[in-house]
Amino acid sequence: MLQENVLPEVASQQQKLQEQQDLQDKLQRIAQMRMFDDTLMNAVFDSRIAETEVLIQIILGRDDIKVTSTKTQEEFINVYGKMVTLDIVARDADNKLYNIEVQRDKYKAPPQRARFHAAVMDITLLKDRQPFKEMPERYTIFITEEDKFGSGFPMYHVENVIKELRDEPFRDGGHIIFVNGEYRDVSTPIGQLMHDFACTQASDILNPVLRERVRYLKESEGGTAEMCELVEEYAEKKAMRKQLEIAKELIETTDLSLEHIARVVKLPLDNVKELAQGRTA
C-alpha cells in the first residue's frame, strides 16, 4: 500500500525537476539570443510602433517617417498556392509599405526572393478600380548577418532604371535594400544598428528604444515569460514544418493514400489534403 502512494509522488517530483530543467534551458537560450535571431526579432518588433519606426528611420536615413502599423510573421499566398511568411510588415502615415526581412544566412536572401517578396506585397497595394498611378511606394529590405555582396558597403540600394536614358530612375515606387549586418562603424547610425542587432546583452545595445525593449524581454519576469512562450511556439512550428515537408515528399514520391500519410506523419488529414491540392494546383 505504501509503495502505491510513493510511486505517484516520485513521478510528480521527476516531472517538476524536468519542468525546472526545461525552464533553465529556455532561459539560457533566451540569454544568448540576438535581434538577428527570429524569436527575439519577432518579440522586439511585433506590433511595436516605436521600435519599428526606429528601425525604418535608421535604414532610410530619415527621422520624419511615422509608422502607423507593424506586424511580424505575416503570411501571404499567391494564386498558385505559393505561401511566404514575411518577418516584418509595416505601414507609415503616407501609406508606404515596408517589408523587413532578417536573414542569418545570406544565401537565403537571393535577388529572386527580394523580387518575389516585392511582388507579393505589390498586389495588396491597390483596391479594385483604383488607378495604377495611385500605388504607394513599397520598400523591401533584407538585413543579412553577413555582407550579402561582399563589398563592405553598409547598404546596397536596388532601383529600377531606364538604361537608354542614361540610367534615369524608372520611378515605379519600388525599392529594394540589402543591409550589411557585418557593418560595425558605430560612428554611423547604420553601424550602430547592426552592432545592436548582434548584442546578446541589453546593456550593450546603443539605441535606447531597442535597449529598453530587449531589457524587458530578457530581464523582467513578464518579458521572460513572454519569451518562453515564443520559444515553445516556434519549436512547435518548426516541428510542424518538418512534418509537412515529410508529408509533401511522400505525396510526391509514393502511391500511399492520403489517409496513410496522415497517420505516418501524425498530421490531421485536412492538412495532408491541402498539401496534395497544392501539388496539383
Side-chain angles (χ1 to χ4, degrees):
M1 187 69 177
L2 180 61
Q3 186 176 5
E4 292 179 358
N5 293 332
V6 169
L7 288 176
E9 183 177 343
V10 171
S12 177
Q13 290 176 347
Q14 290 177 338
Q15 182 177 355
K16 288 180 181 178
L17 289 172
Q18 185 61 53
E19 290 173 354
Q20 291 173 357
Q21 183 60 53
D22 290 344
L23 176 60
Q24 290 303 314
D25 290 343
K26 288 175 188 173
L27 293 175
Q28 288 178 8
R29 289 173 59 190
I30 292 167
Q32 296 304 312
M33 286 181 183
R34 310 155 306 150
M35 283 185 281
F36 276 119
D37 298 305
D38 285 344
T39 306
L40 184 59
M41 181 274 296
N42 284 310
V44 169
F45 296 106
D46 188 25
S47 302
R48 304 289 301 187
I49 297 293
E51 289 81 0
T52 305
E53 196 167 86
V54 162
L55 179 65
I56 294 172
Q57 286 180 348
I58 292 174
I59 292 173
L60 268 61
R62 293 175 51 186
D63 59 8
D64 61 333
I65 295 171
K66 301 300 179 185
V67 171
T68 57
S69 67
T70 179
K71 182 69 178 174
T72 65
Q73 300 302 299
E74 284 273 15
E75 292 184 347
F76 291 81
I77 189 167
N78 70 9
V79 294
Y80 298 105
K82 173 65 174 177
M83 188 179 75
V84 62
T85 302
L86 307 185
D87 283 348
I88 304 172
V89 176
R91 287 185 184 272
D92 69 11
D94 296 321
N95 201 35
K96 295 175 183 176
L97 189 65
Y98 304 85
N99 167 219
I100 302 103
E101 296 293 312
V102 180
Q103 281 291 334
R104 295 183 60 182
D105 185 351
K106 66 180 180 180
Y107 298 106
K108 290 185 178 180
Q112 292 85 351
R113 183 170 183 179
R115 174 184 170 189
F116 185 81
H117 280 222
V120 165
M121 288 195 300
D122 279 348
I123 64 173
T124 71
L125 294 178
L126 285 181
K127 299 178 181 178
D128 186 32
R129 301 181 184 277
Q130 188 176 2
F132 287 109
K133 64 181 180 180
E134 294 182 6
M135 179 178 283
E137 287 186 83
R138 174 264 305 147
Y139 290 84
T140 305
I141 301 168
F142 278 81
I143 302 173
T144 57
E145 187 170 3
E146 299 175 87
D147 185 347
K148 170 65 181 175
F149 300 101
S151 295
F153 291 101
M155 291 184 286
Y156 303 88
H157 295 77
V158 183
E159 299 286 342
N160 289 328
V161 298
I162 306 171
K163 294 184 67 64
E164 288 75 13
L165 300 181
R166 298 181 181 179
D167 290 342
E168 179 179 325
F170 188 46
R171 305 187 192 284
D172 59 347
H175 312 277
I176 296 174
I177 301 172
F178 285 83
V179 181
N180 175 8
E182 290 185 285
Y183 193 73
R184 291 291 188 278
D185 183 355
V186 293
S187 67
T188 67
I190 196 68
Q192 292 177 13
L193 182 65
M194 293 302 96
H195 164 274
D196 290 351
F197 260 69
C199 290
T200 59
Q201 301 292 326
S203 58
D204 294 331
I205 294 176
L206 301 173
N207 185 277
V209 175
L210 299 178
R211 180 172 61 240
E212 289 310 307
R213 180 59 178 163
V214 173
R215 176 173 286 131
Y216 166 77
L217 292 168
K218 288 197 172 198
E219 299 177 12
S220 73
E221 183 177 348
T224 53
E226 183 179 331
M227 287 296 294
C228 284
E229 289 181 7
L230 284 174
V231 169
E232 289 182 6
E233 181 182 329
Y234 280 104
E236 291 173 359
K237 286 183 177 180
K238 185 176 181 179
M240 172 67 81
R241 285 196 296 269
K242 184 63 176 178
Q243 289 172 296
L244 290 172
E245 289 173 4
I246 295 172
K248 183 178 180 181
E249 183 175 355
L250 290 174
I251 291 170
E252 295 175 346
T253 61
T254 73
D255 294 324
L256 295 174
S257 69
L258 299 184
E259 290 78 5
H260 192 170
I261 292 173
R263 289 196 300 271
V264 168
V265 297
K266 298 180 181 178
L267 279 174
L269 179 58
D270 287 344
N271 287 6
V272 177
K273 287 181 177 178
E274 288 176 5
L275 276 179
Q277 291 168 357
R279 181 195 64 168
T280 56

